[in-house]
C-alpha cells in the first residue's frame, strides 16, 4: 500500500499548517526530514531539513503507531509555521521520497473506513461535521460521527440474528431438543426492531432538514412588504424593494441561523392575477416553493383580507407594512422593525419543537435501507403468523433484513456510495 501525504489545513497564511502522512513509510519519511522518529503519541519539537541539509522549518511532530491512528495505519503529523512557502517546500520534499504520493480527496478517511476505524455512517457524519454551519448541524453530525447509528444497528442485528437462529433451529434440528414453538419470542424480537426502525424513518425528514436547512417562505400580494421584511431579517439589502408591483420576479433566498438551526428565508413574487408572462412564471414558482416550505409567513392588507395561500400548522398570517404597529401582534413591518423580533421568536420556537422528533438517520440512503429492512421483517412476520409451515421463507426474509442493515453501516455493498460521499471531502481529510 502507498504511503500518502497532504496538507490537512486550509491553504494560505495561518498561524499553523498541518501536513499529514499515512502508510507503511510514514516513520521513515519523518526520519528523512528530521533525523529521528519521535516517541509515538508524544509531541516533539524537531528541525526539518531537505535532502541537502537546508533547514525547512522548526515544527512540532507527532507520530502514531499502526492501529493507533485515525487511519489505523502508521502515520504522522507535521505542525508547521503557517507559511505558504514552508508548506510548499515540505510537500515537495515528501514528493521526492520513493513510495510516497500525494493523497486524493478524502483518502485518509477512506483508509479509516477500510481499516475498520470508522463505519460508513461515521464517514458520512464526519463529512457533515466538516460542512456544519450551525449548532444544530454540529450536534447532529457529531452524534452520527460518534457511531450512534452503528450502535443501534448492532442492537437490531443482534435481535435479528437471535430470531434467525431460533427459526433455523426449527428447520435444521426438528428432532432435537429445541423449543416446540419459537414463534412468540421471534415475533417479539421482530416487533421491537420494526418499532425502532419505523421511529427512525418517521423522524428522518426532520433530521434531513437539520442537515440541509429549513425553509420559511414569505408570501402575499405585491407591495405588501415582503422584500423589505426579508432585508430586515437578513440585516442587509438582499432584495430590491420598489413601489412598482411585480418587482420580485424570482424566489430570493437568504440563509441564516436561528437559535442554532439553519434556516433559509424565501422572498417570493407577489401573488396576483397578471397577463405578464414573466411575472406569471414567478408567481407559479412562488406558490410551488411556498407549498414546499416548512413554514410560511403570509402577509395580508388587513384583517379582512383573505390569505392567498391556505395557512397550515405553524404558519403566521400578519398584516404587512404596519409601520406604526396599529394592528399590534397580528402585524409586522420590515421598514420600522415592528413585530420582526416576535416573528423570529415564533419561527425559532416552531422549528425547535419540530426538531424534537429528529432521528439518527440523516440521509436518503439511510431511510431507504431502513424501509427495506422493515418490509422484509413485516414479510417475515406474516410468514410466521399466517403460514406455520413456511419457516424457510421467514428465515430468508430475516437474512434480507440483516443484509439491509449491514448495507446501512457499510459492512457490505459500499462501493456504490463511496464516490459520492468522498467527493465532499477535501484533500488531507
Amino acid at each position: 500500500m502507498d504511503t500518502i501525504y497532504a496538507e490537512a489545513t486550509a491553504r494560505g497564511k495561518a498561524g499553523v499548517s498541518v501536513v499529514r502522512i499515512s502508510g507503511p513509510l510514514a516513520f521513515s519519511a519523518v526520519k528523512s526530514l528530521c533525523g529521528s522518529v519521535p516517541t509515538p503519541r508524544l509531541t516533539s519539537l524537531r528541525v526539518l531539513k531537505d535532502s541537502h541539509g537546508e533547514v525547512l522549518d522548526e515544527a512540532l511532530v507527532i507520530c502514531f503507531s499502526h492501529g493507533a491512528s485515525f487511519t489505523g495505519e502508521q502515520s504522522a503529523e507535521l505542525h508547521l509555521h503557517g507559511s505558504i512557502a514552508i508548506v510548499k517546500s515540505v510537500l515537495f520534499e515528501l514528493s521526492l521520497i520513493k513510495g510516497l504520493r500525494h493523497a486524493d480527496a478524502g483518502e485518509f478517511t477512506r483508509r479509516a473506513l477500510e481499516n475498520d476505524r470508522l463505519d460508513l455512517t461515521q464517514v458520512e457524519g464526519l463529512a457533515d461535521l466538516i460542512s456544519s454551519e450551525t449548532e444544530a448541524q454540529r450536534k447532529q453530525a457529531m452524534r452520527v460521527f460518534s457511531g450512534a447509528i452503528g450502535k443501534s444497528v448492532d442492537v437490531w442485528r443482534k435481535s435479528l440474528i437471535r430470531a434467525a437462529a431460533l427459526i433455523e433451529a426449527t428447520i435444521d434440528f426438528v428432532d432435537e431438543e429445541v423449543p416446540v414453538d419459537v414463534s412468540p419470542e421471534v415475533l417479539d424480537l421482530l416487533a421491537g426492531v420494526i418499532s425502532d426502525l419505523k421511529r427512525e424513518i418517521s423522524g428522518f425528514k426532520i433530521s434531513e432538514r437539520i442537515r440541509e436547512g429549513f425553509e420559511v417562505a414569505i408570501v402575499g400580494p405585491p407591495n405588501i412588504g415582503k422584500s423589505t421584511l426579508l432585508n430586515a431579517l437578513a440585516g442587509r439589502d438582499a432584495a430590491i424593494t420598489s413601489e412598482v408591483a411585480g418587482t420580485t420576479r424570482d424566489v430570493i433566498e437568504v440563509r441564516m441561523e436561528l437559535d442554532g438551526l439553519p434556516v433559509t428565508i424565501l422572498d417570493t413574487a407577489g401573488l396576483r392575477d397578471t397577463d405578464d408572462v414573466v411575472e406569471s412564471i414567478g408567481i407559479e414558482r412562488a406558490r410551488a416553493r411556498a407549498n414546499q416550505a416548512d413554514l410560511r409567513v403570509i402577509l395580508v392588507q388587513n384583517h379582512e383580507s383573505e390569505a392567498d395561500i391556505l395557512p397550515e400548522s405553524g404558519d403566521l398570517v400578519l398584516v404587512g407594512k404596519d409601520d406604526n404597529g396599529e394592528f399590534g401582534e397580528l402585524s409586522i413591518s420590515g421598514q420600522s422593525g415592528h413585530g420582526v423580533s416576535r416573528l423570529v421568536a415564533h419561527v425559532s420556537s416552531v422549528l425547535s419543537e419540530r426538531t424534537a422528533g429528529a432521528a439518527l438517520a440523516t440521509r436518503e440512503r439511510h431511510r431507504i435501507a431502513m424501509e427495506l429492512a422493515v418490509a422484509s421483517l413485516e414479510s417475515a412476520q406474516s410468514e410466521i403468523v399466517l403460514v406455520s409451515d413456511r419457516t424457510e421463507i421467514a428465515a430468508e426474509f430475516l437474512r434480507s433484513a440483516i443484509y439491509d442493515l449491514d448495507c446501512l453501516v457499510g459492512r457490505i455493498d459500499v462501493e456504490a456510495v463511496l464516490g459520492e460521499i468522498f467527493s465532499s471531502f477535501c484533500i488531507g481529510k
Side-chain angles (χ1 to χ4, degrees):
M1 178 179 286
D2 293 339
T3 296
I4 57 175
Y5 65 89
E7 184 179 3
T9 45
R11 295 178 183 177
K13 294 181 180 179
V16 175
S17 292
V18 178
V19 170
R20 307 176 77 183
I21 310 169
S22 181
L25 299 179
F27 284 6
S28 62
V30 169
K31 186 176 181 179
S32 69
L33 287 173
C34 58
S36 62
V37 179
T39 303
R41 302 182 73 87
L42 291 179
T43 304
S44 302
L45 183 64
R46 290 287 191 275
V47 175
L48 308 185
K49 297 181 179 179
D50 65 16
S51 56
H52 302 293
E54 291 289 330
V55 175
L56 297 173
D57 191 24
E58 190 174 55
L60 294 176
V61 180
I62 311 173
C63 294
F64 302 91
S65 301
H66 179 85
S69 68
F70 172 74
T71 61
E73 303 171 338
Q74 186 182 107
S75 62
E77 292 182 359
L78 310 177
H79 293 236
L80 313 168
H81 290 96
S83 157
I84 296 174
I86 290 174
V87 173
K88 184 178 179 180
S89 297
V90 171
L91 292 177
F92 176 74
E93 200 63 29
L94 289 172
S95 72
L96 300 178
I97 300 175
K98 186 177 181 180
L100 268 65
R101 66 170 175 82
H102 199 274
D104 295 328
E107 191 168 3
F108 287 93
T109 305
R110 182 160 186 156
R111 291 193 175 193
L113 174 68
E114 293 170 347
N115 293 324
D116 295 324
R117 301 291 290 180
L118 301 173
D119 67 34
L120 187 57
T121 59
Q122 288 178 290
V123 170
E124 292 168 323
L126 178 56
D128 290 342
L129 187 63
I130 293 170
S131 61
S132 62
E133 298 176 344
T134 71
E135 183 65 6
Q137 289 175 327
R138 183 194 67 79
K139 288 181 178 179
Q140 177 174 269
M142 196 68 224
R143 186 167 57 162
V144 177
F145 177 52
S146 67
I149 296 178
K151 291 172 185 175
S152 294
V153 168
D154 286 342
V155 173
W156 299 330
R157 198 173 185 275
K158 184 177 180 180
S159 295
L160 297 185
I161 290 175
R162 168 64 179 170
L166 290 171
I167 291 177
E168 296 285 354
T170 65
I171 298 171
D172 298 334
F173 305 104
V174 67
D175 297 326
E176 303 293 332
E177 292 184 3
V178 295
V180 175
D181 184 11
V182 299
S183 58
E185 183 178 354
V186 171
L187 290 173
D188 185 58
L189 289 168
L190 298 190
V193 176
I194 290 173
S195 176
D196 288 347
L197 287 172
K198 285 186 173 180
R199 184 168 58 251
E200 283 295 315
I201 293 168
S202 67
F204 164 74
K205 186 176 180 180
I206 294 298
S207 296
E208 185 182 42
R209 279 306 199 207
I210 294 174
R211 178 173 171 263
E212 297 182 354
F214 292 92
E215 288 190 349
V216 177
I218 305 173
V219 296
N223 282 336
I224 197 66
K226 299 185 299 299
S227 296
T228 303
L229 178 57
L230 175 76
N231 291 340
L233 291 169
R236 59 185 175 86
D237 290 336
I240 298 173
T241 59
S242 169
E243 294 301 321
V244 178
T247 300
T248 301
R249 298 297 183 95
D250 206 349
V251 177
I252 298 173
E253 303 182 3
V254 172
R255 193 172 177 88
M256 60 184 64
E257 179 178 348
L258 296 180
D259 279 356
L261 296 173
V263 178
T264 298
I265 308 295
L266 310 176
D267 176 25
T268 60
L271 305 181
R272 66 169 179 170
D273 295 327
T274 180
D275 294 327
D276 187 308
V277 176
V278 177
E279 187 180 358
S280 296
I281 295 173
I283 292 172
E284 187 177 319
R285 289 181 178 178
R287 289 188 180 277
R289 289 297 296 273
N291 289 330
Q292 295 169 3
D294 301 284
L295 207 62
R296 283 147 292 277
V297 179
I298 305 169
L299 302 185
V300 295
Q301 298 287 355
N302 52 60
H303 288 316
E304 284 71 42
S305 302
E306 185 176 342
D308 294 289
I309 289 182
L310 186 65
E312 299 179 13
S313 175
D315 291 352
L316 275 179
V317 179
L318 301 170
V319 175
K321 280 187 159 180
D322 187 14
D323 298 343
N324 299 319
E326 179 183 346
F327 294 97
E329 295 186 3
L330 298 178
S331 65
I332 196 165
S333 169
Q335 184 69 39
S336 67
H338 165 69
V340 172
S341 60
R342 190 162 49 244
L343 170 62
V344 171
H346 173 82
V347 172
S348 299
S349 175
V350 171
L351 296 183
S352 294
E353 286 180 11
R354 293 182 183 179
T355 60
L360 292 174
T362 58
R363 296 181 180 236
E364 183 70 6
R365 185 185 70 81
H366 303 167
R367 181 190 64 78
I368 292 173
M370 290 181 177
E371 288 187 343
L372 289 172
V374 168
S376 295
L377 293 176
E378 289 180 338
S379 296
Q381 278 182 323
S382 298
E383 293 295 336
I384 294 168
V385 173
L386 302 177
V387 191
S388 59
D389 61 342
R390 288 170 56 175
T391 50
E392 295 92 342
I393 298 178
E396 185 59 33
F397 279 126
L398 279 179
R399 283 191 286 271
S400 179
I402 293 171
Y403 174 88
D404 292 328
L405 294 179
D406 283 343
C407 288
L408 174 60
V409 293
R411 291 194 178 100
I412 51 178
D413 197 29
V414 300
E415 290 299 324
V417 296
L418 288 184
E420 178 184 350
I421 293 171
F422 287 116
S423 66
S424 65
F425 278 80
C426 59
I427 294 174
K429 194 64 179 176

